[in-house]
């Protein structure tokens, strides 16, 4: 019985993978809004009712593709962090800004290599689709890598805490409590802005806004990523210790 059950599980895994592969082809050809379970079933030589046993609705198939894309991007960022000496990586770490830039460039490379998957998670919303809670964890993986890098820099060499506007202080405190309570609120606010700017740069490139404007796109991105690392407080120079004034 166990052998039969194992064979069925393997078959289900293979069919699920085939369904998602065909769905990705449809994404590339027609976009997420036109994804059709019937069309996927037809291309695979399946009846629709058989496919519904794997994905009862278009939205469930979309969710699976979205989670896969977020996980693939997250794994890419985590691998780049570890290779550059981030938390859990090699003992000899590069300068903090170099590690940040290595992660950012790895994310960009993945997006360029997988434009349709990137568009699914960072492009226009799919009409009628509401992402479920299942997508939140996978969607957080890149952000958590950036927080790891900041936290490591803060603990080892310190950060040059950026300025924080008075009207942003309460919001920065709220974001800090949610995202990284062990970091200064000004750093967390700067991180959220840097995260948005990194993906803005990537989206401009993937979606063609840089066409006829920027030709040397990789050097531009690398420099911009380094400047964003500086904006969140990574100076690669240990801040001078504070000294107490002498009492006369």
């Amino acid at each position: 019985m166990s052998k039969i059950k194992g064979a069925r599980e393997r078959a289900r895994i293979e069919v699920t993978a085939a369904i998602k592969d065909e769905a990705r082809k449809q994404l590339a050809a027609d976009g997420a809004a036109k994804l059709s379970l019937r069309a996927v079933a037809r291309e695979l030589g399946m009846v629709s009712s058989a496919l519904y046993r794997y994905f009862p609705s278009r939205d469930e198939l979309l969710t699976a593709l979205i989670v896969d894309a977020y996980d693939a991007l997250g794994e890419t960022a985590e691998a780049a962090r570890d290779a550059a000496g981030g938390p859990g990586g090699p003992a000899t770490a590069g300068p903090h800004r170099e590690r940040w830039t290595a992660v950012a460039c790895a994310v960009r490379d993945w997006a360029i290599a997988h434009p349709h998957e990137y568009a699914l998670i960072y492009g226009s919303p799919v009409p009628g689709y509401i992402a479920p809670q299942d997508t939140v964890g996978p969607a957080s993986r890149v952000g958590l890598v950036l927080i790891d890098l900041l936290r490591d820099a803060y603990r080892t060499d310190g950060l040059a805490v950026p300025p924080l506007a008075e009207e942003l202080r309460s919001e920065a405190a709220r974001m800090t409590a949610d995202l990284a309570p062990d970091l200064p609120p000004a750093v967390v606010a700067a991180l959220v802005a840097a995260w948005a700017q990194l993906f803005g740069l990537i989206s401009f490139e993937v979606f063609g806004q840089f066409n006829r404007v920027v030709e040397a796109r990789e050097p531009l991105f690398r420099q911009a990523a380094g400047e964003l690392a500086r904006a969140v407080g990574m100076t690669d120079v240990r801040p001078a210790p504070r000294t107490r004034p002498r009492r006369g």
Side-chain angles (χ1 to χ4, degrees):
M1 179 64 71
S2 61
K3 291 183 178 180
I4 295 175
K5 182 179 180 180
R8 288 175 178 172
E9 289 176 350
R10 288 193 298 273
R12 184 172 184 85
I13 290 171
E14 291 173 0
V15 174
T16 299
I19 292 170
K20 291 196 287 188
D21 285 345
E22 178 57 37
R24 291 188 186 97
K25 292 178 183 178
Q26 288 196 17
L27 291 180
D30 302 317
K34 294 184 179 180
L35 181 63
S36 163
L37 291 183
R38 290 182 180 275
V40 170
R42 183 171 59 250
E43 290 299 321
L44 293 176
M46 300 173 64
V47 295
S48 299
S49 58
L51 190 146
Y52 290 143
R53 289 199 291 269
Y54 294 86
F55 296 99
S57 68
R58 181 210 67 162
D59 284 4
E60 291 200 26
L61 177 54
L62 268 177
T63 296
L65 297 176
I66 288 169
V67 168
D68 283 353
Y70 275 131
D71 277 337
L73 182 56
E75 289 169 7
T76 297
E78 291 159 4
R81 173 202 62 195
D82 295 345
T92 302
H96 300 298
R97 285 213 313 274
E98 289 184 10
R99 292 157 60 193
W100 169 284
T101 302
V103 169
C105 287
V107 170
R108 170 186 174 270
D109 290 345
W110 183 90
I112 292 171
H114 304 87
H116 304 295
E117 287 91 338
Y118 181 85
L120 180 62
I121 53 179
Y122 287 107
S124 299
V126 180
Y129 175 77
I130 299 176
Q133 190 69 21
D134 295 354
T135 63
V136 174
S140 304
R141 291 176 69 169
V142 173
L144 291 174
V145 169
L146 298 179
I147 290 173
D148 280 347
L149 295 178
L150 271 177
R151 183 177 288 124
D152 189 55
Y154 185 58
R155 289 173 177 172
T156 56
D157 292 328
L159 294 168
V161 178
L164 181 64
E166 182 64 35
E167 60 268 26
L168 188 56
R169 290 186 183 277
S170 61
E171 176 63 8
R174 184 196 64 77
M175 291 190 294
T176 300
D178 287 345
L179 301 174
D182 53 338
L183 292 175
V187 169
V188 174
L191 170 63
V192 171
W195 167 70
Q197 291 174 75
L198 281 173
F199 279 98
L201 286 164
I202 293 170
S203 294
F204 259 51
E205 184 170 359
V206 172
F207 301 141
Q209 278 88 350
F210 279 157
N211 293 348
R212 299 183 182 181
V213 178
V214 180
E215 293 184 1
R217 296 169 188 172
E218 191 276 337
L220 175 70
F221 181 84
R222 182 174 292 275
Q223 175 169 314
E227 290 303 314
L228 289 172
R230 190 189 304 274
V232 298
M234 291 181 172
T235 65
D236 285 337
V237 176
R238 187 185 294 273
R242 294 181 180 180
T243 58
R244 295 181 180 179
R246 295 182 179 179
R247 295 181 180 180

PDB file of all heavy atoms in Angstrom, residues 177-210:
ATOM      1  N   ALA A 177       8.453  48.808  15.010  1.00  0.00           N
ATOM      2  CA  ALA A 177       7.847  47.783  15.867  1.00  0.00           C
ATOM      3  C   ALA A 177       7.399  46.576  15.049  1.00  0.00           C
ATOM      4  O   ALA A 177       7.496  45.430  15.510  1.00  0.00           O
ATOM      5  CB  ALA A 177       6.670  48.385  16.624  1.00  0.00           C
ATOM      6  N   ASP A 178       6.932  46.810  13.825  1.00  0.00           N
ATOM      7  CA  ASP A 178       6.455  45.715  12.976  1.00  0.00           C
ATOM      8  C   ASP A 178       7.579  44.954  12.287  1.00  0.00           C
ATOM      9  O   ASP A 178       7.495  43.734  12.117  1.00  0.00           O
ATOM     10  CB  ASP A 178       5.513  46.271  11.898  1.00  0.00           C
ATOM     11  CG  ASP A 178       4.164  46.687  12.457  1.00  0.00           C
ATOM     12  OD1 ASP A 178       3.843  46.291  13.594  1.00  0.00           O
ATOM     13  OD2 ASP A 178       3.442  47.416  11.749  1.00  0.00           O
ATOM     14  N   LEU A 179       8.627  45.676  11.875  1.00  0.00           N
ATOM     15  CA  LEU A 179       9.627  45.093  10.985  1.00  0.00           C
ATOM     16  C   LEU A 179      10.941  44.717  11.656  1.00  0.00           C
ATOM     17  O   LEU A 179      11.495  43.653  11.394  1.00  0.00           O
ATOM     18  CB  LEU A 179       9.912  46.059   9.819  1.00  0.00           C
ATOM     19  CG  LEU A 179       8.718  46.446   8.950  1.00  0.00           C
ATOM     20  CD1 LEU A 179       9.135  47.504   7.936  1.00  0.00           C
ATOM     21  CD2 LEU A 179       8.151  45.225   8.238  1.00  0.00           C
ATOM     22  N   ALA A 180      11.469  45.618  12.484  1.00  0.00           N
ATOM     23  CA  ALA A 180      12.799  45.383  13.062  1.00  0.00           C
ATOM     24  C   ALA A 180      12.953  46.187  14.340  1.00  0.00           C
ATOM     25  O   ALA A 180      13.589  47.246  14.344  1.00  0.00           O
ATOM     26  CB  ALA A 180      13.893  45.762  12.056  1.00  0.00           C
ATOM     27  N   PRO A 181      12.395  45.703  15.440  1.00  0.00           N
ATOM     28  CA  PRO A 181      12.424  46.477  16.692  1.00  0.00           C
ATOM     29  C   PRO A 181      13.820  46.763  17.230  1.00  0.00           C
ATOM     30  O   PRO A 181      13.979  47.661  18.056  1.00  0.00           O
ATOM     31  CB  PRO A 181      11.640  45.576  17.664  1.00  0.00           C
ATOM     32  CG  PRO A 181      10.811  44.690  16.807  1.00  0.00           C
ATOM     33  CD  PRO A 181      11.614  44.459  15.574  1.00  0.00           C
ATOM     34  N   ASP A 182      14.816  46.014  16.759  1.00  0.00           N
ATOM     35  CA  ASP A 182      16.172  46.209  17.261  1.00  0.00           C
ATOM     36  C   ASP A 182      16.975  47.225  16.449  1.00  0.00           C
ATOM     37  O   ASP A 182      18.156  47.428  16.709  1.00  0.00           O
ATOM     38  CB  ASP A 182      16.923  44.878  17.295  1.00  0.00           C
ATOM     39  CG  ASP A 182      16.885  44.154  15.964  1.00  0.00           C
ATOM     40  OD1 ASP A 182      15.980  44.424  15.152  1.00  0.00           O
ATOM     41  OD2 ASP A 182      17.764  43.297  15.725  1.00  0.00           O
ATOM     42  N   LEU A 183      16.349  47.862  15.465  1.00  0.00           N
ATOM     43  CA  LEU A 183      17.026  48.881  14.669  1.00  0.00           C
ATOM     44  C   LEU A 183      16.447  50.257  14.984  1.00  0.00           C
ATOM     45  O   LEU A 183      15.283  50.378  15.381  1.00  0.00           O
ATOM     46  CB  LEU A 183      16.864  48.589  13.173  1.00  0.00           C
ATOM     47  CG  LEU A 183      17.587  47.350  12.639  1.00  0.00           C
ATOM     48  CD1 LEU A 183      17.238  47.134  11.169  1.00  0.00           C
ATOM     49  CD2 LEU A 183      19.090  47.460  12.826  1.00  0.00           C
ATOM     50  N   PRO A 184      17.216  51.322  14.789  1.00  0.00           N
ATOM     51  CA  PRO A 184      16.692  52.668  15.021  1.00  0.00           C
ATOM     52  C   PRO A 184      15.559  52.989  14.043  1.00  0.00           C
ATOM     53  O   PRO A 184      15.628  52.601  12.867  1.00  0.00           O
ATOM     54  CB  PRO A 184      17.912  53.567  14.753  1.00  0.00           C
ATOM     55  CG  PRO A 184      19.097  52.680  14.924  1.00  0.00           C
ATOM     56  CD  PRO A 184      18.664  51.332  14.462  1.00  0.00           C
ATOM     57  N   PRO A 185      14.525  53.680  14.488  1.00  0.00           N
ATOM     58  CA  PRO A 185      13.407  54.007  13.596  1.00  0.00           C
ATOM     59  C   PRO A 185      13.833  54.741  12.331  1.00  0.00           C
ATOM     60  O   PRO A 185      13.275  54.500  11.249  1.00  0.00           O
ATOM     61  CB  PRO A 185      12.503  54.876  14.475  1.00  0.00           C
ATOM     62  CG  PRO A 185      12.779  54.397  15.868  1.00  0.00           C
ATOM     63  CD  PRO A 185      14.244  54.075  15.886  1.00  0.00           C
ATOM     64  N   ALA A 186      14.811  55.639  12.428  1.00  0.00           N
ATOM     65  CA  ALA A 186      15.256  56.364  11.236  1.00  0.00           C
ATOM     66  C   ALA A 186      15.847  55.406  10.204  1.00  0.00           C
ATOM     67  O   ALA A 186      15.689  55.606   8.993  1.00  0.00           O
ATOM     68  CB  ALA A 186      16.285  57.422  11.621  1.00  0.00           C
ATOM     69  N   VAL A 187      16.522  54.367  10.661  1.00  0.00           N
ATOM     70  CA  VAL A 187      17.099  53.374   9.754  1.00  0.00           C
ATOM     71  C   VAL A 187      15.991  52.566   9.085  1.00  0.00           C
ATOM     72  O   VAL A 187      16.040  52.289   7.879  1.00  0.00           O
ATOM     73  CB  VAL A 187      18.071  52.454  10.516  1.00  0.00           C
ATOM     74  CG1 VAL A 187      18.481  51.262   9.655  1.00  0.00           C
ATOM     75  CG2 VAL A 187      19.305  53.239  10.952  1.00  0.00           C
ATOM     76  N   VAL A 188      14.986  52.183   9.832  1.00  0.00           N
ATOM     77  CA  VAL A 188      13.887  51.398   9.269  1.00  0.00           C
ATOM     78  C   VAL A 188      13.122  52.214   8.228  1.00  0.00           C
ATOM     79  O   VAL A 188      12.772  51.704   7.152  1.00  0.00           O
ATOM     80  CB  VAL A 188      12.948  50.898  10.376  1.00  0.00           C
ATOM     81  CG1 VAL A 188      11.719  50.218   9.779  1.00  0.00           C
ATOM     82  CG2 VAL A 188      13.683  49.943  11.308  1.00  0.00           C
ATOM     83  N   ALA A 189      12.873  53.481   8.515  1.00  0.00           N
ATOM     84  CA  ALA A 189      12.193  54.328   7.540  1.00  0.00           C
ATOM     85  C   ALA A 189      13.023  54.446   6.261  1.00  0.00           C
ATOM     86  O   ALA A 189      12.492  54.375   5.149  1.00  0.00           O
ATOM     87  CB  ALA A 189      11.933  55.708   8.137  1.00  0.00           C
ATOM     88  N   ALA A 190      14.327  54.628   6.415  1.00  0.00           N
ATOM     89  CA  ALA A 190      15.204  54.710   5.251  1.00  0.00           C
ATOM     90  C   ALA A 190      15.240  53.395   4.489  1.00  0.00           C
ATOM     91  O   ALA A 190      15.307  53.366   3.250  1.00  0.00           O
ATOM     92  CB  ALA A 190      16.612  55.115   5.683  1.00  0.00           C
ATOM     93  N   LEU A 191      15.173  52.274   5.223  1.00  0.00           N
ATOM     94  CA  LEU A 191      15.173  50.967   4.584  1.00  0.00           C
ATOM     95  C   LEU A 191      13.931  50.776   3.721  1.00  0.00           C
ATOM     96  O   LEU A 191      14.018  50.280   2.590  1.00  0.00           O
ATOM     97  CB  LEU A 191      15.236  49.867   5.641  1.00  0.00           C
ATOM     98  CG  LEU A 191      14.992  48.441   5.132  1.00  0.00           C
ATOM     99  CD1 LEU A 191      16.068  48.030   4.139  1.00  0.00           C
ATOM    100  CD2 LEU A 191      14.920  47.463   6.290  1.00  0.00           C
ATOM    101  N   VAL A 192      12.770  51.147   4.220  1.00  0.00           N
ATOM    102  CA  VAL A 192      11.537  50.992   3.450  1.00  0.00           C
ATOM    103  C   VAL A 192      11.624  51.806   2.154  1.00  0.00           C
ATOM    104  O   VAL A 192      11.238  51.336   1.071  1.00  0.00           O
ATOM    105  CB  VAL A 192      10.316  51.413   4.293  1.00  0.00           C
ATOM    106  CG1 VAL A 192       9.054  51.468   3.440  1.00  0.00           C
ATOM    107  CG2 VAL A 192      10.127  50.441   5.462  1.00  0.00           C
ATOM    108  N   ALA A 193      12.153  53.023   2.254  1.00  0.00           N
ATOM    109  CA  ALA A 193      12.314  53.855   1.059  1.00  0.00           C
ATOM    110  C   ALA A 193      13.314  53.227   0.096  1.00  0.00           C
ATOM    111  O   ALA A 193      13.092  53.196  -1.124  1.00  0.00           O
ATOM    112  CB  ALA A 193      12.755  55.258   1.460  1.00  0.00           C
ATOM    113  N   ALA A 194      14.423  52.696   0.619  1.00  0.00           N
ATOM    114  CA  ALA A 194      15.441  52.083  -0.235  1.00  0.00           C
ATOM    115  C   ALA A 194      14.909  50.828  -0.917  1.00  0.00           C
ATOM    116  O   ALA A 194      15.178  50.583  -2.099  1.00  0.00           O
ATOM    117  CB  ALA A 194      16.677  51.752   0.594  1.00  0.00           C
ATOM    118  N   TRP A 195      14.146  50.031  -0.178  1.00  0.00           N
ATOM    119  CA  TRP A 195      13.532  48.821  -0.737  1.00  0.00           C
ATOM    120  C   TRP A 195      12.630  49.184  -1.919  1.00  0.00           C
ATOM    121  O   TRP A 195      12.697  48.566  -2.983  1.00  0.00           O
ATOM    122  CB  TRP A 195      12.761  48.131   0.374  1.00  0.00           C
ATOM    123  CG  TRP A 195      11.812  47.051  -0.039  1.00  0.00           C
ATOM    124  CD1 TRP A 195      12.123  45.822  -0.531  1.00  0.00           C
ATOM    125  CD2 TRP A 195      10.382  47.113   0.031  1.00  0.00           C
ATOM    126  NE1 TRP A 195      10.965  45.102  -0.785  1.00  0.00           N
ATOM    127  CE2 TRP A 195       9.892  45.878  -0.441  1.00  0.00           C
ATOM    128  CE3 TRP A 195       9.479  48.088   0.454  1.00  0.00           C
ATOM    129  CZ2 TRP A 195       8.530  45.600  -0.507  1.00  0.00           C
ATOM    130  CZ3 TRP A 195       8.124  47.813   0.394  1.00  0.00           C
ATOM    131  CH2 TRP A 195       7.662  46.576  -0.087  1.00  0.00           C
ATOM    132  N   ALA A 196      11.813  50.224  -1.745  1.00  0.00           N
ATOM    133  CA  ALA A 196      10.923  50.652  -2.829  1.00  0.00           C
ATOM    134  C   ALA A 196      11.719  51.168  -4.023  1.00  0.00           C
ATOM    135  O   ALA A 196      11.376  50.902  -5.184  1.00  0.00           O
ATOM    136  CB  ALA A 196       9.973  51.729  -2.319  1.00  0.00           C
ATOM    137  N   GLN A 197      12.796  51.896  -3.759  1.00  0.00           N
ATOM    138  CA  GLN A 197      13.603  52.434  -4.844  1.00  0.00           C
ATOM    139  C   GLN A 197      14.351  51.344  -5.601  1.00  0.00           C
ATOM    140  O   GLN A 197      14.487  51.406  -6.830  1.00  0.00           O
ATOM    141  CB  GLN A 197      14.572  53.479  -4.294  1.00  0.00           C
ATOM    142  CG  GLN A 197      13.872  54.756  -3.826  1.00  0.00           C
ATOM    143  CD  GLN A 197      14.833  55.708  -3.148  1.00  0.00           C
ATOM    144  OE1 GLN A 197      15.636  56.373  -3.808  1.00  0.00           O
ATOM    145  NE2 GLN A 197      14.754  55.783  -1.823  1.00  0.00           N
ATOM    146  N   LEU A 198      14.839  50.335  -4.895  1.00  0.00           N
ATOM    147  CA  LEU A 198      15.506  49.224  -5.570  1.00  0.00           C
ATOM    148  C   LEU A 198      14.563  48.539  -6.555  1.00  0.00           C
ATOM    149  O   LEU A 198      14.918  48.301  -7.718  1.00  0.00           O
ATOM    150  CB  LEU A 198      16.010  48.202  -4.550  1.00  0.00           C
ATOM    151  CG  LEU A 198      17.301  48.527  -3.807  1.00  0.00           C
ATOM    152  CD1 LEU A 198      17.562  47.494  -2.718  1.00  0.00           C
ATOM    153  CD2 LEU A 198      18.489  48.592  -4.766  1.00  0.00           C
ATOM    154  N   PHE A 199      13.354  48.250  -6.102  1.00  0.00           N
ATOM    155  CA  PHE A 199      12.418  47.578  -6.987  1.00  0.00           C
ATOM    156  C   PHE A 199      11.875  48.526  -8.054  1.00  0.00           C
ATOM    157  O   PHE A 199      11.500  48.081  -9.142  1.00  0.00           O
ATOM    158  CB  PHE A 199      11.291  46.930  -6.182  1.00  0.00           C
ATOM    159  CG  PHE A 199      11.696  45.607  -5.601  1.00  0.00           C
ATOM    160  CD1 PHE A 199      12.118  45.499  -4.287  1.00  0.00           C
ATOM    161  CD2 PHE A 199      11.695  44.465  -6.380  1.00  0.00           C
ATOM    162  CE1 PHE A 199      12.523  44.288  -3.758  1.00  0.00           C
ATOM    163  CE2 PHE A 199      12.090  43.241  -5.867  1.00  0.00           C
ATOM    164  CZ  PHE A 199      12.513  43.150  -4.551  1.00  0.00           C
ATOM    165  N   GLY A 200      11.859  49.818  -7.762  1.00  0.00           N
ATOM    166  CA  GLY A 200      11.493  50.777  -8.797  1.00  0.00           C
ATOM    167  C   GLY A 200      12.505  50.780  -9.935  1.00  0.00           C
ATOM    168  O   GLY A 200      12.138  50.791 -11.120  1.00  0.00           O
ATOM    169  N   LEU A 201      13.782  50.752  -9.597  1.00  0.00           N
ATOM    170  CA  LEU A 201      14.828  50.688 -10.614  1.00  0.00           C
ATOM    171  C   LEU A 201      14.719  49.407 -11.436  1.00  0.00           C
ATOM    172  O   LEU A 201      14.827  49.421 -12.674  1.00  0.00           O
ATOM    173  CB  LEU A 201      16.204  50.751  -9.948  1.00  0.00           C
ATOM    174  CG  LEU A 201      16.645  52.116  -9.418  1.00  0.00           C
ATOM    175  CD1 LEU A 201      17.815  51.951  -8.449  1.00  0.00           C
ATOM    176  CD2 LEU A 201      17.055  53.025 -10.581  1.00  0.00           C
ATOM    177  N   ILE A 202      14.500  48.293 -10.753  1.00  0.00           N
ATOM    178  CA  ILE A 202      14.374  47.018 -11.460  1.00  0.00           C
ATOM    179  C   ILE A 202      13.160  47.033 -12.377  1.00  0.00           C
ATOM    180  O   ILE A 202      13.223  46.593 -13.537  1.00  0.00           O
ATOM    181  CB  ILE A 202      14.287  45.861 -10.454  1.00  0.00           C
ATOM    182  CG1 ILE A 202      15.613  45.717  -9.698  1.00  0.00           C
ATOM    183  CG2 ILE A 202      13.940  44.556 -11.161  1.00  0.00           C
ATOM    184  CD1 ILE A 202      15.558  44.772  -8.514  1.00  0.00           C
ATOM    185  N   SER A 203      12.045  47.545 -11.884  1.00  0.00           N
ATOM    186  CA  SER A 203      10.824  47.579 -12.686  1.00  0.00           C
ATOM    187  C   SER A 203      10.986  48.482 -13.908  1.00  0.00           C
ATOM    188  O   SER A 203      10.499  48.151 -15.003  1.00  0.00           O
ATOM    189  CB  SER A 203       9.644  48.058 -11.835  1.00  0.00           C
ATOM    190  OG  SER A 203       9.344  47.111 -10.825  1.00  0.00           O
ATOM    191  N   PHE A 204      11.653  49.605 -13.754  1.00  0.00           N
ATOM    192  CA  PHE A 204      11.904  50.477 -14.904  1.00  0.00           C
ATOM    193  C   PHE A 204      12.659  49.716 -15.990  1.00  0.00           C
ATOM    194  O   PHE A 204      12.378  49.870 -17.181  1.00  0.00           O
ATOM    195  CB  PHE A 204      12.701  51.709 -14.468  1.00  0.00           C
ATOM    196  CG  PHE A 204      11.856  52.936 -14.288  1.00  0.00           C
ATOM    197  CD1 PHE A 204      10.713  52.903 -13.507  1.00  0.00           C
ATOM    198  CD2 PHE A 204      12.205  54.130 -14.902  1.00  0.00           C
ATOM    199  CE1 PHE A 204       9.927  54.029 -13.343  1.00  0.00           C
ATOM    200  CE2 PHE A 204      11.421  55.263 -14.749  1.00  0.00           C
ATOM    201  CZ  PHE A 204      10.285  55.228 -13.970  1.00  0.00           C
ATOM    202  N   GLU A 205      13.622  48.903 -15.588  1.00  0.00           N
ATOM    203  CA  GLU A 205      14.395  48.150 -16.572  1.00  0.00           C
ATOM    204  C   GLU A 205      13.584  47.009 -17.173  1.00  0.00           C
ATOM    205  O   GLU A 205      13.536  46.848 -18.400  1.00  0.00           O
ATOM    206  CB  GLU A 205      15.669  47.613 -15.929  1.00  0.00           C
ATOM    207  CG  GLU A 205      16.576  46.901 -16.903  1.00  0.00           C
ATOM    208  CD  GLU A 205      17.952  46.574 -16.341  1.00  0.00           C
ATOM    209  OE1 GLU A 205      18.217  46.920 -15.168  1.00  0.00           O
ATOM    210  OE2 GLU A 205      18.755  45.985 -17.076  1.00  0.00           O
ATOM    211  N   VAL A 206      12.931  46.220 -16.345  1.00  0.00           N
ATOM    212  CA  VAL A 206      12.193  45.058 -16.830  1.00  0.00           C
ATOM    213  C   VAL A 206      11.032  45.471 -17.729  1.00  0.00           C
ATOM    214  O   VAL A 206      10.760  44.836 -18.760  1.00  0.00           O
ATOM    215  CB  VAL A 206      11.683  44.217 -15.649  1.00  0.00           C
ATOM    216  CG1 VAL A 206      10.734  43.113 -16.127  1.00  0.00           C
ATOM    217  CG2 VAL A 206      12.848  43.592 -14.892  1.00  0.00           C
ATOM    218  N   PHE A 207      10.358  46.555 -17.373  1.00  0.00           N
ATOM    219  CA  PHE A 207       9.165  46.964 -18.114  1.00  0.00           C
ATOM    220  C   PHE A 207       9.445  47.988 -19.211  1.00  0.00           C
ATOM    221  O   PHE A 207       8.520  48.528 -19.808  1.00  0.00           O
ATOM    222  CB  PHE A 207       8.110  47.506 -17.146  1.00  0.00           C
ATOM    223  CG  PHE A 207       7.686  46.503 -16.099  1.00  0.00           C
ATOM    224  CD1 PHE A 207       7.450  46.890 -14.794  1.00  0.00           C
ATOM    225  CD2 PHE A 207       7.537  45.165 -16.417  1.00  0.00           C
ATOM    226  CE1 PHE A 207       7.067  45.971 -13.826  1.00  0.00           C
ATOM    227  CE2 PHE A 207       7.158  44.232 -15.463  1.00  0.00           C
ATOM    228  CZ  PHE A 207       6.922  44.639 -14.167  1.00  0.00           C
ATOM    229  N   GLY A 208      10.730  48.256 -19.471  1.00  0.00           N
ATOM    230  CA  GLY A 208      11.079  49.031 -20.658  1.00  0.00           C
ATOM    231  C   GLY A 208      11.155  50.524 -20.509  1.00  0.00           C
ATOM    232  O   GLY A 208      11.373  51.226 -21.507  1.00  0.00           O
ATOM    233  N   GLN A 209      11.008  51.075 -19.296  1.00  0.00           N
ATOM    234  CA  GLN A 209      11.058  52.527 -19.150  1.00  0.00           C
ATOM    235  C   GLN A 209      12.445  53.115 -19.393  1.00  0.00           C
ATOM    236  O   GLN A 209      12.572  54.312 -19.627  1.00  0.00           O
ATOM    237  CB  GLN A 209      10.554  52.957 -17.760  1.00  0.00           C
ATOM    238  CG  GLN A 209       9.043  53.026 -17.648  1.00  0.00           C
ATOM    239  CD  GLN A 209       8.440  51.686 -17.246  1.00  0.00           C
ATOM    240  OE1 GLN A 209       9.134  50.670 -17.224  1.00  0.00           O
ATOM    241  NE2 GLN A 209       7.150  51.676 -16.950  1.00  0.00           N
ATOM    242  N   PHE A 210      13.479  52.275 -19.330  1.00  0.00           N
ATOM    243  CA  PHE A 210      14.838  52.752 -19.583  1.00  0.00           C
ATOM    244  C   PHE A 210      15.210  52.705 -21.059  1.00  0.00           C
ATOM    245  O   PHE A 210      16.297  53.159 -21.434  1.00  0.00           O
ATOM    246  CB  PHE A 210      15.857  51.913 -18.792  1.00  0.00           C
ATOM    247  CG  PHE A 210      15.988  52.313 -17.351  1.00  0.00           C
ATOM    248  CD1 PHE A 210      16.463  51.405 -16.413  1.00  0.00           C
ATOM    249  CD2 PHE A 210      15.657  53.584 -16.912  1.00  0.00           C
ATOM    250  CE1 PHE A 210      16.608  51.759 -15.079  1.00  0.00           C
ATOM    251  CE2 PHE A 210      15.785  53.951 -15.586  1.00  0.00           C
ATOM    252  CZ  PHE A 210      16.256  53.043 -14.673  1.00  0.00           C
TER     253      PHE A 210
END
